[in-house]
Amino acid sequence: MRLFIVLLLCLALATCSSQLPRAQVLTPASAELTGRHSFSLIAAEQAVDGDVPFSERYTQLEQLLREGLSARGYRANPQAEIQVYYWLAVQDSPLDFKVEAAPPTPLGPYQAIHRLRDETGTLRVRLTTPAQHILWEGLVNTGLSPAKDSAELLERATQALLQQIPLASQ
């Protein structure tokens, strides 16, 4: 009985543990990033054409980026050497589940098809020079979706992505 309780407790803790989302570096840091320390954040409206999803999260995202870049040795400055573009997007793809079930009546088997949608939010961050040369770019799955939206999901995703940016060199 005690073993069962211990196993159940371990399972509950494993389920509740919050792992950082997996970040993907799209463009590794270029040599031009070395020696650059100042940054300015460029609003998503300037980076993306059309409406941006999760618009209510951009105030939080801006603060998280500012704090995270400062922790990595960069400093905010209007006359910055690095421009930081950031935006949230929704990847929407169909999911089809085909379920063969036992016949409900003597007429024979039938097949049920469940059509669902996978809506997953992503965060993309791009560091560029003022002349728009890409210094670094990364992407992370935020866990956000139109059905599931929270400040905690965005914070974990932002932390995971910012950890991929090289520390500012002195």
Side-chain angles (χ1 to χ4, degrees):
M1 183 65 173
R2 286 184 184 171
L3 179 61
F4 177 71
I5 292 173
V6 170
L7 289 174
L8 190 60
L9 180 61
C10 289
L11 180 63
L13 289 174
T15 304
C16 294
S17 68
S18 61
Q19 296 178 334
L20 287 178
R22 188 165 165 247
Q24 178 183 3
V25 176
L26 302 174
T27 305
S30 73
E32 288 182 79
L33 185 57
T34 306
R36 296 179 187 253
H37 300 91
S38 61
F39 72 92
S40 64
L41 296 176
I42 308 300
E45 293 80 19
Q46 296 178 9
V48 178
D49 292 332
D51 294 332
V52 289
F54 309 110
S55 57
E56 66 281 355
R57 291 283 167 217
Y58 278 93
T59 303
Q60 176 195 5
L61 180 57
E62 184 177 328
Q63 179 183 353
L64 291 169
L65 289 171
R66 218 177 274 287
E67 291 170 0
L69 288 168
S70 295
R72 301 204 60 78
Y74 298 94
R75 65 184 182 282
N77 185 339
Q79 310 302 325
E81 304 163 306
I82 301 169
Q83 293 182 331
V84 181
Y85 292 89
Y86 59 95
W87 63 95
L88 294 164
V90 176
Q91 292 180 338
D92 187 7
S93 58
L95 296 174
D96 287 343
F97 290 104
K98 297 180 180 178
V99 181
E100 291 189 21
T105 63
L107 296 175
Y110 73 96
Q111 186 178 40
I113 299 175
H114 302 281
R115 289 188 169 82
L116 306 170
R117 306 224 42 96
D118 179 21
E119 297 175 316
T120 305
T122 60
L123 167 62
R124 193 172 201 142
V125 173
R126 179 182 296 156
L127 308 181
T128 70
T129 65
Q132 301 303 308
H133 291 103
I134 297 176
L135 301 171
W136 182 92
E137 185 172 6
L139 173 77
V140 66
N141 179 342
T142 63
L144 298 174
S145 73
K148 184 177 181 184
D149 179 12
S150 80
E152 180 186 344
L153 291 173
L154 183 57
E155 184 175 349
R156 285 196 323 240
T158 305
Q159 288 173 356
L161 191 55
L162 290 176
Q163 288 177 0
Q164 303 302 314
I165 297 174
L167 294 170
S169 59
Q170 301 301 343

